[in-house]
Each structure stands twice: as structure tokens, then as C-alpha cells.
């Protein structure tokens, strides 16, 4: 992701399950964004601005922060 600057502002993440820390979510978001950029490039983020976006959290064996990051990324890129 060298040379690419992305600003992602998430006002609030609402999760009805305990166990989500800010540090874990930050790390998971960074990893999800890097993977998305590697796969699709910066075009997926160009011109994207929303007041509100929602996405369903995937049901998977991944850790909670990874699933929340996946849903957040889906919300801002779809």
C-alpha cells in the first residue's frame, strides 16, 4: 500500500456481541483495506462518500474484529 493514502472515517460501529476492542478492529480494518487494494486497486474507493451505510456481518469462523472489518469495508465499497 506504499504511496496510497486512504482516509476511512467510521463514526460508529454497532455490534451486539462483546469482545471487540478498538486496537483489534483497527488492525483488522487495515488488513481488510490492504487486501482489497491488492485485489481491486484504488478505483474501489474513488468517489465513495456516504452519510450512512450498513452491511451484514458475515457468519464465518473468523474472529469478531475480522468479520466487523469485512462488513465495514463492504458497506463503504458497495
Amino acid at each position: 500500500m506504499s504511496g496510497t493514502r486512504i482516509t476511512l472515517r467510521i463514526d460508529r460501529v454497532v455490534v451486539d456481541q462483546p469482545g471487540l476492542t478498538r486496537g483489534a478492529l483497527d488492525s483488522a480494518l487495515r488488513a481488510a483495506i490492504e487486501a482489497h487494494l491488492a485485489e481491486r486497486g484504488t478505483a474501489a474507493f474513488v468517489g465513495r462518500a456516504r452519510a450512512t451505510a450498513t452491511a451484514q456481518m458475515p457468519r464465518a469462523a473468523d474472529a469478531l474484529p475480522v468479520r466487523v472489518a469485512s462488513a465495514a469495508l463492504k458497506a463503504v465499497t458497495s
Side-chain angles (χ1 to χ4, degrees):
M1 202 163 75
S2 178
T4 301
R5 183 179 175 106
I6 295 173
T7 301
L8 177 62
R9 289 188 172 93
I10 299 174
D11 176 53
R12 179 182 356 206
V13 174
V14 179
V15 179
D16 63 356
Q17 299 175 25
L20 183 65
T21 66
R22 182 181 181 104
L25 181 57
D26 286 348
S27 294
L29 280 168
R30 183 175 301 274
I33 290 168
E34 287 175 354
H36 193 78
L37 282 172
E39 182 180 320
R40 298 189 183 152
T42 57
F45 293 100
V46 174
R48 304 274 186 195
R50 293 186 171 87
T52 302
T54 61
Q56 185 76 21
M57 190 168 67
R59 296 176 192 242
D62 292 325
L64 179 61
V66 173
R67 294 186 340 224
V68 171
S70 175
L73 188 60
K74 182 178 180 181
V76 299
T77 60
S78 55

